[in-house]
């Protein structure tokens, strides 16, 4: 996912095939003796791996019984706001297994069948955040479990975007971190992987899309079939339904968007294939066949979500000049870090996101040059320092890379720590051992752990026996300080951007009155420089000077939402009221949490709570649950 701090962030395979082959062999009854021995040992290894880590956010007990494949039959009902269907799982069981446990959250379970026969199931007590365990009795011989169910109209993963004027309705899911269980009963733990097939019915006129092989045209009957051959964890299950069109932008890349955005999207993301090639050049073959992008309604709570084969993205990255493609680089990088090698639990989230920010930076450097990627790194550093300050006051343990989220919402771990502290840790290792060695090591890491889970402790062991086997390198990096220690260690790599230094000097001169507004080089600046200037304006900038900037630059009408956002935040902090109507319309239209949180917080911190609550009251119904969860708390919303 893509996140909060720097202007862009938030959501494979060197495919060895070993895991898939292992789970398929034998099911057709043709495996030879040695294949079945291999299969048995592969199964033993997988079960041993499952026993190594405990996921505090899932009821599943994969060491007893785990899912390996899903057959999903479902119908999407926009009127009732429900998804009804049957989830049929192939399962793998331990020798003494007596039950299999699934995660559910506010699902109505209608019936459970084990190998075709109805059985009594048990739904345990609901617990905060994690929902209810669904326990199904099985035997060691059980092959399939089918669950008939309906989701609740308030399911947290789903956002039912209402029709507005001539805009038809839209549905999308956001399953990460633990919301898949609100729309499908599943073993919702990132360490458990399964392949899937699906048959989905949506209203006529809509196209359905999943994190799978996708259609390219709308079917007359609203019925669609999907196949995801590579095993994925539940948080990468995704579904969208709406009136969208398909447009190819490369051999393996395409965009999906509503008709009014499809041309703009095709132009904006025309360079996707180049990013994909650059990524493969760095860290090995792309393992998911196609890489497509779905532009969602503006209510989408994140920048992007790395759903395999089909990244879900906010339309706020369509700037008209391809300036915000770093988000695509981020989501694409997840095809390796996250989707291929996956954090075993949400305490290990930095293994997904820190690697992805590092990889994103390398793609940006390869395609757009070091000067651009260093500007991004500088923004990342600035965001990280601010976040460390903010979190250290509240809960210093949350500044460790390895988190402690038991009993909490894993969403609490989605801070700049996992992303940017993770990034600087990897950058430190790169700078310590040299880029060539580091890249070779990272290639090996992705290959060795493709389609597997990884937890922090095993990662540290791996690191100590491979890249940092040398004592001098170990001493230089100080792994423990970074992973299990607070704040930002003193050996954090330094970044500098001469272009930002010039922006800072220009801002200082302007602030001191030594430079007139007319002499500011706005037209020469790229968006990162504009963002830097606006986001570093002093809170007490007089409104007359804000008005000068506004008149000179017409920022309120920029197509770049990062620049607009930086301006609006400053406008709120400087009490520059002419921008307030734009703030309100933006907050009602856009549901991206990275923008919402600082804007509402700015109102709160400057004594403008009345305005914040007024706007939030109008906008809240259009936001996704992950955004309302954060804003309700920030604004102490009582409804
Ligand atoms: Zn991400």
């Amino acid at each position: 996912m893509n996140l909060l701090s720097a202007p862009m962030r938030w959501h494979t395979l060197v495919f060895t095939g070993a895991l898939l082959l292992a789970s398929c062999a034998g099911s057709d009854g043709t495996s030879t003796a040695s294949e079945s021995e291999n299969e048995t040992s592969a199964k033993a290894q997988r079960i041993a791996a499952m026993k190594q880590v405990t996921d505090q956010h899932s009821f599943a007990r994969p060491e007893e019984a785990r899912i390996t494949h899903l057959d999903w039959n479902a119908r999407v009902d926009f009127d009732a706001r429900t998804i009804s269907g049957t989830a049929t799982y192939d399962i793998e069981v331990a020798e003494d297994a007596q039950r299999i446990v699934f995660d559910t959250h506010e699902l109505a379970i209608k019936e459970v069948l084990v190998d075709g026969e109805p059985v009594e199931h048990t739904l345990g007590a609901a617990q905060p955040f994690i929902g209810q365990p669904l326990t199904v009795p099985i035997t060691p011989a059980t092959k399939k479990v089918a669950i008939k169910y309906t989701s609740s109209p308030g399911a947290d993963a789903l956002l039912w975007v209402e029709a507005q004027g001539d805009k038809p309705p839209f549905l999308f899911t956001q399953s990460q971190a633990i919301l898949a269980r609100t729309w499908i009963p599943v073993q919702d733990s990132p360490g458990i992987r399964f392949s899937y097939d699906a048959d989905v019915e949506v209203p006529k006129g809509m196209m359905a899309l999943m994190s799978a092989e996708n259609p390219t045209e709308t079917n007359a009957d609203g019925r669609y079939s999907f196949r995801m051959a590579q095993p994925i964890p539940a948080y990468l299950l995704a579904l969208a339904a709406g009136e969208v069109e398909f447009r190819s932008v490369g051999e393996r890349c395409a965009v999906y968007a509503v008709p009014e955005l499809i041309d703009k999207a095709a132009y904006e993301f025309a360079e996707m294939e180049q990013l994909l090639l650059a990524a493969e050049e760095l860290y090995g073959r792309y393992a998911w066949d196609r890489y497509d992008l779905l532009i969602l309604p503006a209510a989408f709570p994140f920048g992007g979500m790395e759903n395999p084969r089909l990244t879900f993205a906010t339309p706020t990255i369509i700037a008209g000049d391809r300036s915000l493609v770093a988000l695509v680089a981020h989501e694409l990088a997840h095809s390796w870090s996250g989707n291929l090698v996956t954090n075993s639990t949400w305490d290990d989230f930095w293994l997904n996101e820190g690697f992805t920010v590092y990889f994103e930076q390398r793609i940006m450097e390869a395609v757009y040059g070091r000067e651009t990627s260093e500007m991004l790194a500088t923004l990342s550093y600035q965001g990280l320092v601010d976040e460390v300050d903010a979190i250290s006051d509240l809960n210093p343990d949350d500044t460790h890379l390895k988190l402690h989220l038991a009993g909490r919402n894993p969403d609490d771990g989605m801070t700049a720590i996992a992303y940017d502290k993770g990034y600087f840790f990897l950058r430190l290792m790169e700078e310590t051992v040299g880029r060539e060695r580091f890249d070779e090591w990272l290639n090996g890491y992705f290959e060795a752990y493709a389609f597997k889970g990884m937890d922090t402790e095993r990662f540290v062991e791996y690191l100590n026996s491979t890249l940092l086997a040398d004592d001098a390198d170990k001493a230089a990096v100080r792994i423990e300080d970074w992973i299990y220690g607070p704040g930002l260690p003193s050996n954090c790599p330094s970044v500098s951007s001469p272009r930002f230094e010039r922006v800072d000097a220009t801002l200082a001169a302007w602030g001191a009155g030594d430079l007139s507004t007319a002499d500011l080089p706005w037209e020469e600046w790229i968006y990162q420089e504009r963002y830097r200037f606006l986001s570093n304006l002093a809170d007490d900038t007089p409104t007359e000077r804000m008005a000068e900037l506004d008149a000179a630059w017409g920022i309120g009408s920029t197509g770049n939402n990062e620049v607009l956002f930086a301006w609006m935040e400053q406008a709120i902090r400087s009490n520059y009221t002419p921008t307030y109507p734009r703030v309100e319309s933006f907050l009602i239209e856009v549901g991206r949490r990275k923008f919402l949180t600082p804007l509402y917080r700015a109102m709160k911190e400057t004594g403008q709570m009345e305005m914040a609550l007024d706007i939030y009251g109008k906008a809240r119904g259009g936001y996704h649950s992950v955004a309302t969860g954060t804003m309700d708390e920030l604004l102490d919303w009582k409804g």
Side-chain angles (χ1 to χ4, degrees):
M1 251 183 284
N2 196 290
L3 187 61
L4 300 159
S5 54
M8 57 218 70
R9 209 64 29 93
W10 220 208
H11 355 342
T12 302
L13 279 328
V14 186
F15 176 45
T16 62
L19 200 97
L20 270 184
L21 290 174
S23 49
C24 298
S27 62
D28 60 3
T30 59
S31 59
T32 64
S34 82
E35 273 170 345
S36 98
E37 268 165 39
N38 285 342
E39 192 202 340
T40 310
S41 91
K43 179 177 161 185
Q45 276 175 19
R46 285 197 299 278
I47 289 174
M50 290 296 175
K51 281 181 175 161
Q52 286 180 352
V53 282
T54 303
D55 179 359
Q56 307 282 353
H57 294 102
S58 171
F59 293 106
R61 295 164 179 268
E63 69 281 7
E64 281 180 54
R66 62 182 280 270
I67 57 177
T68 59
H69 181 81
L70 162 68
D71 255 304
W72 190 52
N73 261 279
R75 190 171 159 271
V76 176
D77 185 336
F78 274 76
D79 294 329
R81 296 193 163 192
T82 57
I83 295 175
S84 304
T86 304
T88 304
Y89 290 101
D90 293 350
I91 65 170
E92 186 171 84
V93 297
E95 277 172 17
D96 53 351
Q98 297 182 335
R99 61 181 176 171
I100 182 165
V101 187
F102 296 89
D103 294 296
T104 74
H105 196 156
E106 296 182 359
L107 297 179
I109 306 296
K110 306 279 173 60
E111 189 180 20
V112 179
L113 301 139
V114 169
D115 289 332
E117 298 296 325
V119 296
E120 291 283 330
H121 63 270
T122 317
L123 211 45
Q127 291 186 29
F129 311 118
I130 57 178
Q132 293 173 277
L134 168 67
T135 305
V136 177
I138 56 167
T139 72
T142 301
K143 296 278 183 259
K144 282 183 195 287
V145 175
I147 306 162
K148 295 185 182 175
Y149 74 99
T150 300
S151 66
S152 109
D156 281 344
L158 308 180
L159 191 67
W160 304 89
V161 181
E162 284 182 38
Q164 277 176 331
D166 55 354
K167 284 188 196 167
F170 203 103
L171 165 71
F172 64 82
T173 62
Q174 168 57 39
S175 296
Q176 195 179 25
I178 55 169
L179 303 180
R181 64 191 71 174
T182 69
W183 61 286
I184 186 165
V186 64
Q187 290 189 319
D188 193 5
S189 174
I192 302 175
R193 310 180 82 94
F194 52 95
S195 49
Y196 73 87
D197 291 293
D199 288 295
V200 181
E201 187 185 345
V202 296
K204 290 186 180 64
M206 287 193 178
M207 197 189 290
L209 297 165
M210 293 192 77
S211 49
E213 285 177 38
N214 273 307
T216 58
E217 286 179 1
T218 303
N219 290 346
D221 61 3
R223 291 170 190 272
Y224 297 87
S225 293
F226 302 90
R227 180 175 163 74
M228 170 46 89
Q230 294 96 331
I232 60 164
Y235 79 87
L236 295 176
L237 273 177
L239 171 71
E243 292 182 18
V244 297
E245 290 179 13
F246 169 88
R247 184 77 55 82
S248 179
V249 296
E251 206 179 312
R252 287 176 291 172
C253 298
V255 290
Y256 292 87
V258 292
E260 71 203 65
L261 283 181
I262 191 75
D263 288 336
K264 286 180 183 154
Y267 173 79
E268 200 78 23
F269 306 110
E271 292 160 359
M272 271 163 64
E273 190 97 14
Q274 249 175 286
L275 299 177
L276 179 52
L277 290 168
E280 286 188 308
E281 185 72 24
L282 284 165
Y283 299 121
R285 193 170 71 82
Y286 179 72
W288 307 89
D289 309 320
R290 288 197 62 84
Y291 181 76
D292 298 332
L293 188 67
L294 168 63
I295 302 300
L296 288 171
F300 186 56
F302 297 122
M305 177 63 211
E306 64 271 20
N307 298 314
R309 297 181 66 111
L310 183 66
T311 284
F312 283 17
T314 168
T316 61
I317 54 169
I318 297 179
D321 59 5
R322 301 178 180 172
S323 54
L324 300 177
V325 295
L327 182 124
V328 176
H330 179 93
E331 306 310 332
L332 173 63
H334 269 307
S335 305
W336 287 258
S337 45
N339 297 5
L340 192 58
V341 182
T342 309
N343 53 209
S344 289
T345 76
W346 299 113
D347 287 344
D348 308 303
F349 188 49
W350 75 277
L351 291 173
N352 274 16
E353 296 300 346
F355 277 75
T356 297
V357 175
Y358 178 82
F359 195 165
E360 165 197 343
Q361 294 282 78
R362 294 292 305 275
I363 295 171
M364 292 303 287
E365 181 183 326
V367 178
Y368 301 101
R370 178 89 174 169
E371 195 178 52
T372 298
S373 65
E374 281 301 272
M375 276 196 272
L376 296 172
T378 305
L379 293 172
S380 162
Y381 183 78
Q382 188 182 15
L384 176 59
V385 169
D386 292 348
E387 189 100 317
V388 166
D389 278 352
I391 299 177
S392 295
D393 289 345
L394 299 168
N395 191 353
D397 286 1
D398 283 354
T399 64
H400 302 184
L401 284 178
K402 165 83 181 188
L403 296 168
H404 312 278
L405 296 168
R408 298 166 64 189
N409 187 337
D411 201 44
D412 289 357
M414 262 175 214
T415 71
I417 301 302
Y419 290 77
D420 299 304
K421 186 177 175 183
Y423 162 69
F424 280 102
F425 178 49
L426 292 181
R427 181 167 168 152
L428 170 65
M429 292 198 277
E430 181 213 305
E431 292 181 1
T432 303
V433 304
R435 180 168 277 194
E436 201 178 327
R437 254 188 77 199
F438 186 78
D439 282 352
E440 199 182 314
W441 171 81
L442 195 45
N443 263 290
Y445 172 72
F446 287 137
E447 199 171 327
Y449 294 99
F451 293 104
K452 294 188 174 127
M454 177 57 76
D455 60 275
T456 303
E457 287 63 41
R458 271 200 301 156
F459 176 75
V460 170
E461 267 174 42
Y462 180 75
L463 197 54
N464 276 324
S465 63
T466 53
L467 186 71
L468 301 183
D470 185 279
D471 283 344
D473 291 339
K474 252 189 213 103
V477 170
R478 292 158 42 197
I479 301 173
E480 298 279 320
D481 291 356
W482 277 87
I483 294 182
Y484 302 107
L488 211 46
S490 57
N491 61 348
C492 182
S494 58
V495 277
S496 67
S497 160
R499 288 176 68 158
F500 277 173
E501 283 160 20
R502 284 196 291 277
V503 172
D504 295 348
T506 303
L507 173 57
W510 181 82
D514 298 337
L515 191 68
S516 74
T517 299
D519 290 331
L520 290 171
W522 184 258
E523 291 306 324
E524 291 157 33
W525 282 342
I526 60 172
Y527 107 81
Q528 287 91 342
E529 291 165 298
R530 295 175 177 187
Y531 178 90
R532 175 82 172 190
F533 181 91
L534 294 173
S535 58
N536 284 355
L537 281 170
D539 287 357
D540 59 359
T541 302
T543 49
E544 312 87 72
R545 302 217 78 197
M546 291 293 286
E548 276 177 33
L549 294 177
D550 198 7
W553 297 341
I555 306 165
S557 57
T558 176
N560 188 304
N561 283 294
E562 298 289 348
V563 171
L564 175 63
F565 158 73
W567 170 255
M568 292 191 297
E569 187 183 359
Q570 285 306 325
I572 295 167
R573 291 194 179 277
S574 305
N575 249 291
Y576 180 66
T577 54
T579 295
Y580 284 14
R582 186 70 188 97
V583 172
E584 175 165 340
S585 63
F586 183 89
L587 286 171
I588 288 172
E589 185 196 346
V590 175
R592 188 176 173 189
R593 184 166 65 175
K594 178 186 113 161
F595 294 143
L596 306 190
T597 307
L599 292 175
Y600 284 117
R601 183 185 290 138
M603 293 181 218
K604 181 178 173 178
E605 289 177 355
T606 53
Q608 303 177 80
M609 269 304 273
E610 205 175 318
M611 172 166 72
L613 292 170
D614 177 55
I615 296 174
Y616 188 54
K618 294 176 196 165
R620 188 177 182 278
Y623 294 159
H624 188 274
S625 72
V626 305
T628 56
T630 305
M631 277 357 104
D632 284 358
E633 196 179 323
L634 176 70
L635 300 174
D636 198 18
W637 178 256
K638 303 285 190 240

